[in-house]
Amino acid sequence: MKALIFNCTLKASPATSNTEALAEVVAEELREGGAETEMLRAADHPILPGVTSDEGEGDGWPAIHERVLEADILIIATPTWLGKPSSIAQRVLERMDAMIAETDEDGIPVAYNRVVGVVVTGNEDGAHHVIGECAGSLIDIGYTVPGQAWTYWNRGPGPGDDYLDSGAGKEWSHKTGRTAARNLLSVANALSSGPMEAPEE
Amino acid sequence: MKALIFNCTLKASPATSNTEALAEVVAEELREGGAETEMLRAADHPILPGVTSDEGEGDGWPAIHERVLEADILIIATPTWLGKPSSIAQRVLERMDAMIAETDEDGIPVAYNRVVGVVVTGNEDGAHHVIGECAGSLIDIGYTVPGQAWTYWNRGPGPGDDYLDSGAGKEWSHKTGRTAARNLLSVANALSSGPMEAPEE
Amino acid sequence: MKALIFNCTLKASPATSNTEALAEVVAEELREGGAETEMLRAADHPILPGVTSDEGEGDGWPAIHERVLEADILIIATPTWLGKPSSIAQRVLERMDAMIAETDEDGIPVAYNRVVGVVVTGNEDGAHHVIGECAGSLIDIGYTVPGQAWTYWNRGPGPGDDYLDSGAGKEWSHKTGRTAARNLLSVANALSSGPMEAPEE
Amino acid sequence: MKALIFNCTLKASPATSNTEALAEVVAEELREGGAETEMLRAADHPILPGVTSDEGEGDGWPAIHERVLEADILIIATPTWLGKPSSIAQRVLERMDAMIAETDEDGIPVAYNRVVGVVVTGNEDGAHHVIGECAGSLIDIGYTVPGQAWTYWNRGPGPGDDYLDSGAGKEWSHKTGRTAARNLLSVANALSSGPMEAPEE
């Protein structure tokens, strides 16, 4: 099993990323379960605006698109800005939109039989909505979302600490994250053994 | 396989329901695939407000809760009001909220290894959001949402015809609905063969 | 100025309502500013499902509809369930949907020149989304939403205390609520002096 | 009155923009009402990721931030991608997030006493959600959203034509857009005459 984790922080490397820190808890459990994991910080790549899989010269997406297609498990890890997924998470989703029309040689949409999870951090309320927004977009593309395949961390009410600056609530977020990893592995395996077929044309 | 379809129209029987009409397309394909289906119009039952599985005297939910637990496949079928799932859909989701803490004898949450789909009608725009809202809530409870396990119908822009009053776009909605049914069956079968395990306590 | 506050808790009176407790902070500041306030617990009234202003025998909405029309300031106060406004909040919004087509003698939609605010409590994350959902629906109907005309309280991550059981973060929620009250009064006054006109037919 | 319209299409100039075409209907009515309008295509500017008003070298936002502060009326015009505002709309909102903490010399948040509207196009369903998402973010920052200060165009169900390729429904979208323009002007004038005051510190 291969897992690709998109870290959709607004900050390019090497800036510290709260989102990466929480996503790493999920990644570690995926590796415990035998998966190979890759953490990809989207802000480090020139992902051009657009809704095709190749927006031409200077576009960093085509190489990433290949890695998306190699991954059985995808995780969108994003901070919460104004209660919503980051602009970089939305950029990644927009570029994945083209996958709706991409199929393998048997006519099966490329996202079928792959699973997706969501990891959210924030210095304020919004994680459930971010999870719903990402899940809604990805089932549209064809990904399957396993039950409880997400975790999040924030404190409220009002603006507050970042994940890495606070000790509160981490145990819950980590335990929930480890469960998410196991659910992703379990459903990915189930779909591998009993795959979805091509949709009606 | 058993499938339970919640028709969350605001209208009690025997009023005609556009939502039921579109949901029936999905139900028929589920039966084609060997499932037993039940269409339950929530507005016909006294589902009391609350977030437990039994709100006491006069509550119609406990009997429905049993049927939810018997269903491998759940479908939330709802009209769109003010761009959102109906108050009756939200009532059903609220009552299902208690299932987060309900487990079988092995400690597995009762919603694990069950799948859910969404069917939406409307006289105006809003279906994608309704699908995302329902999917987000149900993965929280523990249901798995298969890729493309939804269909919808509306016309835009602005207020317009109801589903049963219009011929436009039905072919797309029906084809998408049949695919949703097959994806629900396929993933339900996969989870039956390779089930999710109990989460970390 | 008259203000009507819909408490959309799932619990009928006399059960204690966290949502009412936080909404009362906003109400008190509205009274400080000279407004007359009314707290209406929607769960105490038989508000039938539907999208007209009178759903016939046994419907408690027509009397409430009158009070809505008397209020310059409306507040939707709601708990968060599964990250969304309560089913009772959605019921209230659905019944207000009919107001889109109701006008005064000059052809001005009845919701024009009225303002709306939102108060949210929860034992888990979700308030920003609830505020956005309510605001989105109410600007559709014709209400104006003043800047920062909301407050909320929740703690995270994961399920936690209710508002009345916790001391944390209340100061922020109360201060934000008092500002919301003043912004509602200010914009209601501005619209009273310089009202919106009838839309193009 | 000055109005700034953010066209948040994914396409840089000189590509044709459906969103601009519909937004121009609103702009024309704003000019009819005496406002000065500016259409700014965000994709033409290097708006760096971040949540401050100046992200340093190469950042195109500081100059745009000045224009935001000069505008009494703001319009977010965006296409719908995966049912959500474009990544470029979210980028603009993220950069405006810093305005929450920016005040004038009297301690009044810079967004107070300014109004915002939303214009949405799409080749599929999603506009109401996009309007709610944008409105929710902007009232958070301090903007006031007048009743019915939005318009949209899409056709459904399923993927379909773009706005400029279709004649259907345009009359409704244009009329609704002209009303939005008048409501924005009316409420902007009312707030100019009777402004909101500084919030409680």
Side-chain angles (χ1 to χ4, degrees), chain D residues 122-181:
Chain D
N123 69 344
E124 196 172 352
D125 164 278
H128 277 88
H129 180 50
V130 171
I131 294 165
E133 290 287 275
C134 292
S137 294
L138 289 155
I139 57 171
D140 200 349
I141 294 169
Y143 279 87
T144 289
V145 186
Q148 300 178 347
W150 49 267
T151 189
Y152 77 93
W153 186 92
N154 67 38
R155 292 292 282 171
D161 282 341
D162 287 326
Y163 169 75
L164 289 168
D165 302 329
S166 170
K170 285 192 177 177
E171 195 182 346
W172 182 89
S173 299
H174 293 188
K175 190 180 71 167
T176 303
R178 288 189 297 267
T179 293

Short mmCIF file of all heavy atoms in Angstrom, two decimals, chain D residues 122-181:
data_model
loop_
_atom_site.label_atom_id
_atom_site.label_comp_id
_atom_site.label_asym_id
_atom_site.label_seq_id
_atom_site.Cartn_x
_atom_site.Cartn_y
_atom_site.Cartn_z
N GLY D 122 -20.90 28.86 -12.99
CA GLY D 122 -20.43 27.48 -12.90
C GLY D 122 -20.99 26.68 -14.04
O GLY D 122 -22.00 27.05 -14.64
N ASN D 123 -20.32 25.59 -14.36
CA ASN D 123 -20.90 24.68 -15.34
C ASN D 123 -21.65 23.58 -14.61
O ASN D 123 -22.08 22.60 -15.21
CB ASN D 123 -19.83 24.11 -16.29
CG ASN D 123 -18.90 23.16 -15.59
OD1 ASN D 123 -18.84 23.12 -14.37
ND2 ASN D 123 -18.17 22.38 -16.36
N GLU D 124 -21.79 23.74 -13.29
CA GLU D 124 -22.58 22.79 -12.51
C GLU D 124 -22.99 23.45 -11.20
O GLU D 124 -22.44 24.46 -10.78
CB GLU D 124 -21.77 21.51 -12.24
CG GLU D 124 -22.65 20.35 -11.78
CD GLU D 124 -21.93 19.00 -11.67
OE1 GLU D 124 -20.77 18.89 -12.09
OE2 GLU D 124 -22.55 18.06 -11.14
N ASP D 125 -23.98 22.86 -10.59
CA ASP D 125 -24.56 23.21 -9.30
C ASP D 125 -23.52 23.62 -8.24
O ASP D 125 -22.44 23.05 -8.20
CB ASP D 125 -25.32 21.95 -8.85
CG ASP D 125 -25.70 21.91 -7.40
OD1 ASP D 125 -24.86 21.56 -6.55
OD2 ASP D 125 -26.85 22.24 -7.11
N GLY D 126 -23.87 24.54 -7.38
CA GLY D 126 -23.00 24.91 -6.27
C GLY D 126 -23.06 26.36 -5.82
O GLY D 126 -22.48 26.72 -4.81
N ALA D 127 -23.80 27.20 -6.56
CA ALA D 127 -23.72 28.64 -6.32
C ALA D 127 -24.17 29.06 -4.92
O ALA D 127 -23.53 29.90 -4.28
CB ALA D 127 -24.55 29.38 -7.38
N HIS D 128 -25.26 28.50 -4.44
CA HIS D 128 -25.73 28.92 -3.11
C HIS D 128 -24.68 28.66 -2.04
O HIS D 128 -24.48 29.46 -1.13
CB HIS D 128 -27.04 28.21 -2.74
CG HIS D 128 -28.23 28.87 -3.32
ND1 HIS D 128 -28.71 28.57 -4.57
CD2 HIS D 128 -29.04 29.84 -2.84
CE1 HIS D 128 -29.76 29.32 -4.83
NE2 HIS D 128 -29.98 30.10 -3.80
N HIS D 129 -24.02 27.53 -2.17
CA HIS D 129 -22.97 27.22 -1.20
C HIS D 129 -21.80 28.20 -1.32
O HIS D 129 -21.26 28.67 -0.31
CB HIS D 129 -22.49 25.78 -1.41
CG HIS D 129 -21.42 25.38 -0.45
ND1 HIS D 129 -21.53 25.56 0.91
CD2 HIS D 129 -20.20 24.82 -0.65
CE1 HIS D 129 -20.43 25.11 1.50
NE2 HIS D 129 -19.62 24.68 0.58
N VAL D 130 -21.43 28.51 -2.54
CA VAL D 130 -20.34 29.45 -2.75
C VAL D 130 -20.70 30.82 -2.15
O VAL D 130 -19.87 31.46 -1.50
CB VAL D 130 -20.02 29.58 -4.26
CG1 VAL D 130 -19.03 30.70 -4.52
CG2 VAL D 130 -19.46 28.25 -4.79
N ILE D 131 -21.92 31.24 -2.35
CA ILE D 131 -22.37 32.52 -1.78
C ILE D 131 -22.29 32.47 -0.25
O ILE D 131 -21.77 33.38 0.39
CB ILE D 131 -23.81 32.85 -2.25
CG1 ILE D 131 -23.83 33.09 -3.76
CG2 ILE D 131 -24.38 34.04 -1.49
CD1 ILE D 131 -25.23 33.05 -4.39
N GLY D 132 -22.77 31.38 0.33
CA GLY D 132 -22.74 31.24 1.78
C GLY D 132 -21.31 31.22 2.32
O GLY D 132 -21.01 31.84 3.35
N GLU D 133 -20.42 30.52 1.62
CA GLU D 133 -19.03 30.44 2.07
C GLU D 133 -18.37 31.82 2.04
O GLU D 133 -17.65 32.19 2.97
CB GLU D 133 -18.23 29.49 1.15
CG GLU D 133 -18.59 28.03 1.29
CD GLU D 133 -18.08 27.42 2.58
OE1 GLU D 133 -16.92 26.98 2.61
OE2 GLU D 133 -18.86 27.39 3.55
N CYS D 134 -18.59 32.55 0.97
CA CYS D 134 -17.96 33.89 0.86
C CYS D 134 -18.58 34.85 1.87
O CYS D 134 -17.86 35.59 2.56
CB CYS D 134 -18.12 34.43 -0.56
SG CYS D 134 -17.18 33.51 -1.80
N ALA D 135 -19.90 34.83 1.98
CA ALA D 135 -20.57 35.73 2.92
C ALA D 135 -20.13 35.44 4.35
O ALA D 135 -19.85 36.35 5.13
CB ALA D 135 -22.09 35.61 2.78
N GLY D 136 -20.06 34.17 4.69
CA GLY D 136 -19.65 33.78 6.04
C GLY D 136 -18.26 34.30 6.38
O GLY D 136 -18.02 34.82 7.48
N SER D 137 -17.33 34.17 5.44
CA SER D 137 -15.97 34.65 5.68
C SER D 137 -15.93 36.16 5.83
O SER D 137 -15.19 36.70 6.66
CB SER D 137 -15.05 34.24 4.53
OG SER D 137 -14.92 32.83 4.48
N LEU D 138 -16.72 36.85 5.04
CA LEU D 138 -16.60 38.30 5.00
C LEU D 138 -17.29 38.99 6.17
O LEU D 138 -16.85 40.04 6.62
CB LEU D 138 -17.07 38.81 3.64
CG LEU D 138 -16.04 38.43 2.55
CD1 LEU D 138 -16.69 38.36 1.19
CD2 LEU D 138 -14.89 39.42 2.53
N ILE D 139 -18.37 38.39 6.69
CA ILE D 139 -18.96 38.97 7.92
C ILE D 139 -18.02 38.72 9.10
O ILE D 139 -18.01 39.48 10.06
CB ILE D 139 -20.37 38.45 8.24
CG1 ILE D 139 -20.42 36.93 8.38
CG2 ILE D 139 -21.38 38.91 7.19
CD1 ILE D 139 -21.75 36.40 8.91
N ASP D 140 -17.22 37.68 9.01
CA ASP D 140 -16.21 37.40 10.04
C ASP D 140 -15.19 38.55 10.07
O ASP D 140 -14.80 39.04 11.14
CB ASP D 140 -15.53 36.08 9.66
CG ASP D 140 -14.82 35.39 10.81
OD1 ASP D 140 -14.65 36.01 11.87
OD2 ASP D 140 -14.43 34.23 10.65
N ILE D 141 -14.79 38.99 8.89
CA ILE D 141 -13.81 40.08 8.77
C ILE D 141 -14.42 41.42 9.16
O ILE D 141 -13.70 42.32 9.58
CB ILE D 141 -13.26 40.11 7.32
CG1 ILE D 141 -12.46 38.83 7.02
CG2 ILE D 141 -12.43 41.34 7.05
CD1 ILE D 141 -12.10 38.62 5.56
N GLY D 142 -15.74 41.57 9.03
CA GLY D 142 -16.39 42.81 9.42
C GLY D 142 -17.24 43.46 8.35
O GLY D 142 -17.88 44.49 8.60
N TYR D 143 -17.26 42.88 7.16
CA TYR D 143 -18.13 43.41 6.11
C TYR D 143 -19.60 43.14 6.42
O TYR D 143 -19.92 42.12 7.06
CB TYR D 143 -17.81 42.74 4.76
CG TYR D 143 -16.61 43.32 4.06
CD1 TYR D 143 -15.33 42.85 4.34
CD2 TYR D 143 -16.75 44.36 3.15
CE1 TYR D 143 -14.22 43.40 3.71
CE2 TYR D 143 -15.64 44.91 2.52
CZ TYR D 143 -14.38 44.43 2.81
OH TYR D 143 -13.29 44.98 2.20
N THR D 144 -20.44 44.01 5.94
CA THR D 144 -21.88 43.80 6.02
C THR D 144 -22.38 43.25 4.68
O THR D 144 -21.98 43.72 3.62
CB THR D 144 -22.58 45.14 6.36
OG1 THR D 144 -22.27 45.47 7.72
CG2 THR D 144 -24.10 45.06 6.18
N VAL D 145 -23.24 42.25 4.75
CA VAL D 145 -23.81 41.65 3.54
C VAL D 145 -25.27 42.07 3.42
O VAL D 145 -26.11 41.60 4.19
CB VAL D 145 -23.71 40.12 3.57
CG1 VAL D 145 -24.18 39.54 2.24
CG2 VAL D 145 -22.30 39.65 3.88
N PRO D 146 -25.58 42.95 2.49
CA PRO D 146 -26.98 43.35 2.30
C PRO D 146 -27.85 42.18 1.82
O PRO D 146 -27.34 41.26 1.17
CB PRO D 146 -26.91 44.42 1.20
CG PRO D 146 -25.49 44.87 1.17
CD PRO D 146 -24.69 43.65 1.56
N GLY D 147 -29.11 42.22 2.16
CA GLY D 147 -30.04 41.21 1.65
C GLY D 147 -29.98 41.14 0.14
O GLY D 147 -29.90 42.15 -0.55
N GLN D 148 -30.00 39.91 -0.36
CA GLN D 148 -30.05 39.67 -1.81
C GLN D 148 -28.99 40.45 -2.59
O GLN D 148 -29.28 40.98 -3.67
CB GLN D 148 -31.46 39.90 -2.33
CG GLN D 148 -32.45 38.95 -1.63
CD GLN D 148 -33.90 39.11 -2.03
OE1 GLN D 148 -34.28 40.09 -2.67
NE2 GLN D 148 -34.72 38.12 -1.67
N ALA D 149 -27.79 40.45 -2.07
CA ALA D 149 -26.67 41.13 -2.73
C ALA D 149 -25.81 40.12 -3.50
O ALA D 149 -24.60 40.10 -3.38
CB ALA D 149 -25.83 41.87 -1.69
N TRP D 150 -26.46 39.30 -4.27
CA TRP D 150 -25.74 38.27 -5.02
C TRP D 150 -26.53 37.91 -6.28
O TRP D 150 -27.73 38.15 -6.38
CB TRP D 150 -25.58 37.00 -4.16
CG TRP D 150 -26.86 36.57 -3.52
CD1 TRP D 150 -27.31 36.91 -2.27
CD2 TRP D 150 -27.90 35.80 -4.13
NE1 TRP D 150 -28.56 36.38 -2.06
CE2 TRP D 150 -28.94 35.68 -3.18
CE3 TRP D 150 -28.06 35.17 -5.37
CZ2 TRP D 150 -30.13 34.99 -3.43
CZ3 TRP D 150 -29.24 34.49 -5.64
CH2 TRP D 150 -30.26 34.40 -4.67
N THR D 151 -25.83 37.31 -7.22
CA THR D 151 -26.51 36.64 -8.33
C THR D 151 -25.65 35.46 -8.74
O THR D 151 -24.50 35.34 -8.32
CB THR D 151 -26.79 37.56 -9.52
OG1 THR D 151 -27.64 36.86 -10.47
CG2 THR D 151 -25.50 37.97 -10.25
N TYR D 152 -26.21 34.58 -9.53
CA TYR D 152 -25.44 33.43 -10.00
C TYR D 152 -26.04 32.91 -11.29
O TYR D 152 -27.17 33.24 -11.67
CB TYR D 152 -25.40 32.32 -8.95
CG TYR D 152 -26.67 31.49 -8.84
CD1 TYR D 152 -26.81 30.30 -9.56
CD2 TYR D 152 -27.72 31.88 -8.01
CE1 TYR D 152 -27.97 29.53 -9.46
CE2 TYR D 152 -28.86 31.11 -7.90
CZ TYR D 152 -28.99 29.95 -8.63
OH TYR D 152 -30.14 29.19 -8.52
N TRP D 153 -25.26 32.09 -11.95
CA TRP D 153 -25.75 31.36 -13.11
C TRP D 153 -25.13 29.98 -13.14
O TRP D 153 -23.90 29.83 -13.01
CB TRP D 153 -25.41 32.09 -14.43
CG TRP D 153 -26.02 31.41 -15.62
CD1 TRP D 153 -27.24 31.68 -16.18
CD2 TRP D 153 -25.49 30.30 -16.37
NE1 TRP D 153 -27.50 30.82 -17.22
CE2 TRP D 153 -26.44 29.96 -17.37
CE3 TRP D 153 -24.32 29.57 -16.31
CZ2 TRP D 153 -26.25 28.93 -18.28
CZ3 TRP D 153 -24.11 28.53 -17.21
CH2 TRP D 153 -25.07 28.22 -18.18
N ASN D 154 -25.93 28.96 -13.28
CA ASN D 154 -25.48 27.62 -13.67
C ASN D 154 -26.68 26.85 -14.19
O ASN D 154 -27.82 27.29 -14.04
CB ASN D 154 -24.75 26.87 -12.53
CG ASN D 154 -25.66 26.53 -11.36
OD1 ASN D 154 -26.82 26.18 -11.52
ND2 ASN D 154 -25.12 26.64 -10.15
N ARG D 155 -26.39 25.72 -14.83
CA ARG D 155 -27.46 24.85 -15.31
C ARG D 155 -27.22 23.47 -14.74
O ARG D 155 -26.09 23.08 -14.46
CB ARG D 155 -27.46 24.74 -16.83
CG ARG D 155 -27.82 26.01 -17.53
CD ARG D 155 -29.25 26.41 -17.33
NE ARG D 155 -30.17 25.64 -18.17
CZ ARG D 155 -31.50 25.70 -18.04
NH1 ARG D 155 -32.06 26.47 -17.12
NH2 ARG D 155 -32.27 25.00 -18.83
N GLY D 156 -28.25 22.70 -14.60
CA GLY D 156 -28.07 21.36 -14.07
C GLY D 156 -29.11 20.44 -14.65
O GLY D 156 -29.95 20.88 -15.43
N PRO D 157 -29.09 19.22 -14.23
CA PRO D 157 -28.09 18.60 -13.37
C PRO D 157 -26.88 18.13 -14.18
O PRO D 157 -26.96 17.98 -15.40
CB PRO D 157 -28.84 17.41 -12.81
CG PRO D 157 -29.77 17.02 -13.91
CD PRO D 157 -30.17 18.32 -14.59
N GLY D 158 -25.80 17.90 -13.46
CA GLY D 158 -24.57 17.41 -14.10
C GLY D 158 -23.81 18.53 -14.78
O GLY D 158 -24.29 19.65 -14.87
N PRO D 159 -22.62 18.22 -15.24
CA PRO D 159 -21.80 19.21 -15.93
C PRO D 159 -22.50 19.69 -17.19
O PRO D 159 -23.15 18.90 -17.88
CB PRO D 159 -20.51 18.44 -16.28
CG PRO D 159 -20.53 17.21 -15.43
CD PRO D 159 -21.96 16.90 -15.17
N GLY D 160 -22.39 20.98 -17.49
CA GLY D 160 -23.08 21.50 -18.66
C GLY D 160 -22.35 22.67 -19.26
O GLY D 160 -21.14 22.81 -19.12
N ASP D 161 -23.12 23.50 -19.93
CA ASP D 161 -22.55 24.66 -20.61
C ASP D 161 -21.96 25.65 -19.62
O ASP D 161 -22.31 25.69 -18.45
CB ASP D 161 -23.67 25.39 -21.37
CG ASP D 161 -24.01 24.69 -22.67
OD1 ASP D 161 -23.20 23.88 -23.14
OD2 ASP D 161 -25.11 24.95 -23.19
N ASP D 162 -21.09 26.49 -20.17
CA ASP D 162 -20.66 27.67 -19.45
C ASP D 162 -21.65 28.80 -19.74
O ASP D 162 -22.39 28.76 -20.71
CB ASP D 162 -19.25 28.07 -19.91
CG ASP D 162 -18.19 27.12 -19.36
OD1 ASP D 162 -18.38 26.62 -18.23
OD2 ASP D 162 -17.19 26.88 -20.06
N TYR D 163 -21.59 29.80 -18.90
CA TYR D 163 -22.49 30.96 -19.00
C TYR D 163 -22.51 31.58 -20.39
O TYR D 163 -23.57 31.84 -20.95
CB TYR D 163 -22.06 31.99 -17.94
CG TYR D 163 -22.70 33.33 -18.05
CD1 TYR D 163 -24.03 33.52 -17.66
CD2 TYR D 163 -21.98 34.42 -18.53
CE1 TYR D 163 -24.62 34.78 -17.74
CE2 TYR D 163 -22.56 35.68 -18.61
CZ TYR D 163 -23.88 35.86 -18.23
OH TYR D 163 -24.46 37.09 -18.31
N LEU D 164 -21.32 31.77 -20.95
CA LEU D 164 -21.25 32.47 -22.24
C LEU D 164 -21.68 31.58 -23.40
O LEU D 164 -21.90 32.06 -24.50
CB LEU D 164 -19.84 33.02 -22.48
CG LEU D 164 -19.48 34.21 -21.59
CD1 LEU D 164 -17.99 34.52 -21.67
CD2 LEU D 164 -20.29 35.45 -21.97
N ASP D 165 -21.80 30.29 -23.16
CA ASP D 165 -22.20 29.36 -24.23
C ASP D 165 -23.68 29.07 -24.22
O ASP D 165 -24.16 28.29 -25.04
CB ASP D 165 -21.45 28.03 -24.08
CG ASP D 165 -19.95 28.22 -24.09
OD1 ASP D 165 -19.49 29.15 -24.77
OD2 ASP D 165 -19.26 27.44 -23.42
N SER D 166 -24.41 29.64 -23.30
CA SER D 166 -25.79 29.27 -23.12
C SER D 166 -26.67 30.51 -23.03
O SER D 166 -26.24 31.55 -22.51
CB SER D 166 -25.93 28.46 -21.82
OG SER D 166 -27.29 28.28 -21.49
N GLY D 167 -27.88 30.41 -23.51
CA GLY D 167 -28.82 31.51 -23.38
C GLY D 167 -29.76 31.32 -22.21
O GLY D 167 -30.37 32.26 -21.72
N ALA D 168 -29.84 30.11 -21.72
CA ALA D 168 -30.88 29.77 -20.75
C ALA D 168 -30.66 30.45 -19.40
O ALA D 168 -29.56 30.43 -18.86
CB ALA D 168 -30.91 28.26 -20.55
N GLY D 169 -31.71 31.04 -18.88
CA GLY D 169 -31.68 31.53 -17.51
C GLY D 169 -30.97 32.86 -17.31
O GLY D 169 -30.90 33.37 -16.21
N LYS D 170 -30.45 33.42 -18.40
CA LYS D 170 -29.67 34.65 -18.21
C LYS D 170 -30.53 35.81 -17.73
O LYS D 170 -30.06 36.65 -16.95
CB LYS D 170 -28.99 35.04 -19.53
CG LYS D 170 -27.80 34.15 -19.83
CD LYS D 170 -27.00 34.73 -20.97
CE LYS D 170 -25.77 33.87 -21.21
NZ LYS D 170 -24.97 34.36 -22.35
N GLU D 171 -31.76 35.87 -18.19
CA GLU D 171 -32.61 37.00 -17.80
C GLU D 171 -32.76 37.03 -16.28
O GLU D 171 -32.65 38.09 -15.66
CB GLU D 171 -33.98 36.86 -18.48
CG GLU D 171 -34.79 38.12 -18.45
CD GLU D 171 -36.17 37.93 -19.10
OE1 GLU D 171 -36.37 36.90 -19.79
OE2 GLU D 171 -37.03 38.80 -18.89
N TRP D 172 -32.98 35.86 -15.70
CA TRP D 172 -33.11 35.79 -14.24
C TRP D 172 -31.82 36.23 -13.56
O TRP D 172 -31.83 37.02 -12.62
CB TRP D 172 -33.48 34.35 -13.81
CG TRP D 172 -33.67 34.23 -12.33
CD1 TRP D 172 -34.82 34.42 -11.63
CD2 TRP D 172 -32.65 33.93 -11.35
NE1 TRP D 172 -34.60 34.25 -10.28
CE2 TRP D 172 -33.29 33.96 -10.09
CE3 TRP D 172 -31.30 33.64 -11.43
CZ2 TRP D 172 -32.59 33.70 -8.90
CZ3 TRP D 172 -30.59 33.39 -10.26
CH2 TRP D 172 -31.24 33.41 -9.01
N SER D 173 -30.69 35.73 -14.05
CA SER D 173 -29.40 36.05 -13.43
C SER D 173 -29.08 37.54 -13.54
O SER D 173 -28.51 38.14 -12.62
CB SER D 173 -28.27 35.25 -14.08
OG SER D 173 -28.49 33.87 -13.91
N HIS D 174 -29.45 38.14 -14.67
CA HIS D 174 -29.16 39.56 -14.86
C HIS D 174 -30.06 40.43 -13.99
O HIS D 174 -29.58 41.38 -13.36
CB HIS D 174 -29.34 39.93 -16.33
CG HIS D 174 -28.32 39.29 -17.23
ND1 HIS D 174 -28.20 39.61 -18.55
CD2 HIS D 174 -27.37 38.36 -16.99
CE1 HIS D 174 -27.22 38.89 -19.10
NE2 HIS D 174 -26.72 38.13 -18.17
N LYS D 175 -31.33 40.09 -13.94
CA LYS D 175 -32.25 40.87 -13.11
C LYS D 175 -31.84 40.78 -11.64
O LYS D 175 -31.82 41.79 -10.92
CB LYS D 175 -33.68 40.34 -13.30
CG LYS D 175 -34.73 41.22 -12.69
CD LYS D 175 -36.13 40.67 -12.90
CE LYS D 175 -36.34 39.43 -12.04
NZ LYS D 175 -37.77 39.04 -11.97
N THR D 176 -31.51 39.58 -11.23
CA THR D 176 -31.07 39.38 -9.85
C THR D 176 -29.78 40.15 -9.57
O THR D 176 -29.59 40.72 -8.49
CB THR D 176 -30.89 37.87 -9.60
OG1 THR D 176 -32.13 37.21 -9.88
CG2 THR D 176 -30.50 37.57 -8.16
N GLY D 177 -28.92 40.20 -10.57
CA GLY D 177 -27.66 40.94 -10.44
C GLY D 177 -27.88 42.45 -10.35
O GLY D 177 -27.18 43.14 -9.59
N ARG D 178 -28.83 42.95 -11.11
CA ARG D 178 -29.12 44.39 -11.03
C ARG D 178 -29.69 44.74 -9.66
O ARG D 178 -29.36 45.77 -9.07
CB ARG D 178 -30.07 44.81 -12.15
CG ARG D 178 -29.42 44.83 -13.53
CD ARG D 178 -30.30 45.46 -14.59
NE ARG D 178 -31.54 44.71 -14.79
CZ ARG D 178 -31.73 43.75 -15.70
NH1 ARG D 178 -30.74 43.40 -16.52
NH2 ARG D 178 -32.88 43.14 -15.81
N THR D 179 -30.55 43.87 -9.14
CA THR D 179 -31.08 44.09 -7.79
C THR D 179 -29.96 44.06 -6.77
O THR D 179 -29.91 44.87 -5.84
CB THR D 179 -32.16 43.03 -7.47
OG1 THR D 179 -33.28 43.27 -8.33
CG2 THR D 179 -32.61 43.11 -6.02
N ALA D 180 -29.04 43.12 -6.93
CA ALA D 180 -27.89 43.04 -6.01
C ALA D 180 -27.13 44.36 -6.00
O ALA D 180 -26.76 44.88 -4.93
CB ALA D 180 -26.97 41.90 -6.43
N ALA D 181 -26.89 44.91 -7.18
CA ALA D 181 -26.16 46.18 -7.28
C ALA D 181 -26.88 47.28 -6.52
O ALA D 181 -26.28 48.05 -5.77
CB ALA D 181 -25.99 46.56 -8.75
#
